[in-house]
Amino acid sequence: MAPTRSSRAAFALLGGVQVTLIFTLAAVAVPLPGIGVEFGVRREELILLSAAYGLTFAGLLLFGGRLADRYGGQRTLTAGLLVFGLASAAAPLAPGYGTLLAARLAQGVGAALIAPAAMAVLRTVFPSPAAYGGAMATWGGLSVLGATAGNLLSGVISALLSWRWAFAVPLAVTVAALVLAPRVLPAATGSRSGTGGPEHPARRPRLDLPGALLATAGLASASYGLVLTDAWSWTSGRVLAPLVAGVVLLAMFVGVERRAPDPLLPPRFLLDRRRALGLAATALTAAGTATVFVLFSLHLQDERGWSALRTSAAFVPFAVALLASGRVAGRLIGRYGAPVVTGAGLAVGAVGLVLLALLGMNGTVPYAYGLLPGFVLLATGVAASFAGAAVLATDRVPAERTGLAGGVHNTAMETGPTVVFALVLGVGGDTASLAVTAALFGTAALALRLA
């Protein structure tokens, strides 16, 4: 059945919010040096500021998914929008580093409620499996679109105005979503599908607070340790302390989940083969995209002497190719299946990464020959991979666990870049990092082909 006008409006609203969540993640990437100069902070403090939003976002996603399943998608979505909006209003008014850091952490808390709740509401907008699968194929590409927009607009805004104006985007989208949601989204029914009020208390999933605390602390601590590898060696106490603490906490989380009557993350949930492949592809594709954005943002400004505005403009073809490929990804999934499209996307992305490794980092090769082909191929591949992976990760999920599926999917998307980026940077220079990432893409594509 073709989407109705109301379902398209609901998807546009939820999709715009999802794009904004990832836009906010990348909003301070390009202007970060200018923020450091304004507030007079050290490199390690800038690293924490850059990672703060992602730390609370990734750490609380599983709990946000459980809240959406327990209290309904719309209630959780509204609560998340209020937290996110207030934090987005506070960030540009920050008089100093501490206030801005607190605002970024609070933005991540709101985002962790919004992301899984939006996917839960999406399930009610497209109740049939076929319609929901088609919606998820488009949904999968929204995050990389948000990341691309964040890199593009943050450089433009910081060059023409100030980094503070970058927060006007999430604030405006949040206000619009709060105003339009009651008119556009389906009315709450009180069912378990994530549309509104809680079901009968005897049937509502428990919150599993011990599991939530361990998962949040473990993911945040381990992620912070990995982020610090950008400035210190793996053997440094600054890196090892949070990294080991995170691993211990996550091991405790696994133990608690095995004994919990209603675990935050049921162990069997990840045993589904298609779901596991989809989550792995999501994490890897997000990691590859983030690696390219970070490495080339630095390369173009530090090595080639480009301005922030010109650096942002360099990613415009990436955004165009991403949009064009995303429009056809859903139709390809309907014809060939999600595993095939995901694997093909990873393979094409691997070729783009190889070209960027061989030519893109060579400052003597012009942009049109060195970076443009790699950017276009990578964008084409990640659009297909994200679309197919989103379908795989949410396929055959019961309605009462849609919030959980959204939390797990977004957790893979947020933690993947941190883990993979830290690992590939350890192999050597930028060219070697791109080559290793390309090899990981190719290996994942082969695994999907053989699955």
Side-chain angles (χ1 to χ4, degrees):
M1 184 175 65
T4 64
R5 182 178 180 180
S6 60
S7 65
R8 286 195 294 268
F11 184 90
L13 174 63
L14 296 171
V17 171
Q18 176 68 12
V19 168
T20 303
L21 296 184
I22 310 302
F23 168 92
T24 307
L25 185 69
V28 299
V30 175
L32 200 60
I35 296 174
V37 172
E38 180 174 339
F39 290 149
V41 295
R42 301 184 302 273
R43 177 180 175 86
E44 55 266 31
E45 292 172 311
L46 287 178
I47 292 173
L48 178 58
L49 180 63
S50 177
Y53 176 80
L55 292 178
T56 49
F57 191 179
L60 286 167
L61 272 167
L62 291 177
F63 190 54
R66 176 49 58 92
L67 290 175
D69 287 339
R70 179 179 172 88
Y71 295 110
Q74 286 199 27
R75 286 185 175 181
T76 309
L77 178 67
T78 301
L81 286 170
L82 288 172
V83 174
F84 185 77
L86 289 173
S88 298
L93 302 176
Y97 172 81
T99 307
L100 181 58
L101 178 64
R104 290 288 285 174
L105 290 168
Q107 280 184 315
V109 174
L113 299 176
I114 294 170
M119 291 182 66
V121 176
L122 194 67
R123 183 67 173 267
T124 68
V125 175
F126 300 96
S128 73
Y132 183 66
M136 287 309 302
T138 303
W139 188 268
L142 295 179
S143 293
V144 70
L145 177 61
T148 306
N151 279 273
L152 288 173
L153 293 181
S154 65
V156 174
I157 292 172
S158 62
L160 299 180
L161 298 170
S162 163
W163 61 266
R164 296 176 184 270
W165 281 96
F167 292 97
V169 175
L171 180 59
V173 172
T174 302
V175 172
L178 286 169
V179 172
L180 295 175
R183 306 176 186 180
V184 172
L185 300 181
T189 62
S191 68
R192 295 187 69 168
S193 59
T195 58
E199 63 203 74
H200 190 278
R203 299 178 59 198
R204 287 185 299 176
R206 300 178 184 178
L207 289 182
D208 184 20
L209 290 177
L213 290 173
L214 288 171
T216 301
L219 286 171
S221 181
S223 297
Y224 181 56
L226 290 171
V227 167
L228 291 180
T229 59
D230 177 69
W232 290 281
S233 70
W234 285 83
T235 58
S236 168
R238 292 177 180 267
V239 172
L240 287 177
L243 198 57
V244 172
V247 171
V248 171
L249 289 168
L250 290 176
M252 293 172 63
F253 168 71
V254 173
V256 167
E257 295 302 277
R258 288 180 176 178
R259 297 188 300 270
D262 199 353
L264 183 71
L265 178 59
R268 291 185 178 181
F269 188 80
L270 299 179
L271 295 181
D272 182 274
R273 190 177 184 182
R274 287 168 60 90
R275 188 173 302 131
L277 287 172
L279 292 172
T282 296
L284 183 56
T285 306
T289 307
T291 299
V292 167
F293 283 164
V294 171
L295 292 184
F296 281 98
S297 292
L298 294 174
H299 169 75
L300 293 176
Q301 293 181 79
D302 295 342
E303 302 298 328
R304 301 199 184 195
W306 289 19
S307 66
L309 186 61
R310 188 180 180 187
T311 299
S312 293
F315 290 98
V316 169
F318 186 99
V320 173
L322 184 72
L323 289 170
S325 302
R327 291 182 63 86
V328 302
R331 293 195 293 270
L332 292 175
I333 291 172
R335 182 171 182 178
Y336 298 106
V340 172
V341 173
T342 306
L346 287 167
V348 173
V351 175
L353 287 166
V354 169
L355 289 178
L356 290 172
L358 294 176
L359 301 174
M361 285 294 171
N362 187 340
T364 63
V365 179
Y367 172 86
Y369 305 107
L371 278 78
L372 184 59
F375 278 170
V376 171
L377 284 174
L378 179 62
T380 302
V382 300
S385 177
F386 265 127
V391 174
L392 290 172
T394 56
D395 189 29
R396 298 194 292 258
V397 174
E400 66 271 16
R401 288 187 171 176
T402 306
L404 171 63
V408 173
H409 175 67
N410 281 279
T411 299
M413 190 177 301
E414 295 305 314
T415 57
T418 302
V419 174
V420 175
F421 189 53
L423 293 176
V424 299
L425 284 183
V427 302
D430 294 346
T431 299
S433 298
L434 291 169
V436 170
T437 307
L440 292 174
F441 267 52
T443 302
L446 181 60
L448 281 161
R449 180 69 180 88
L450 298 176

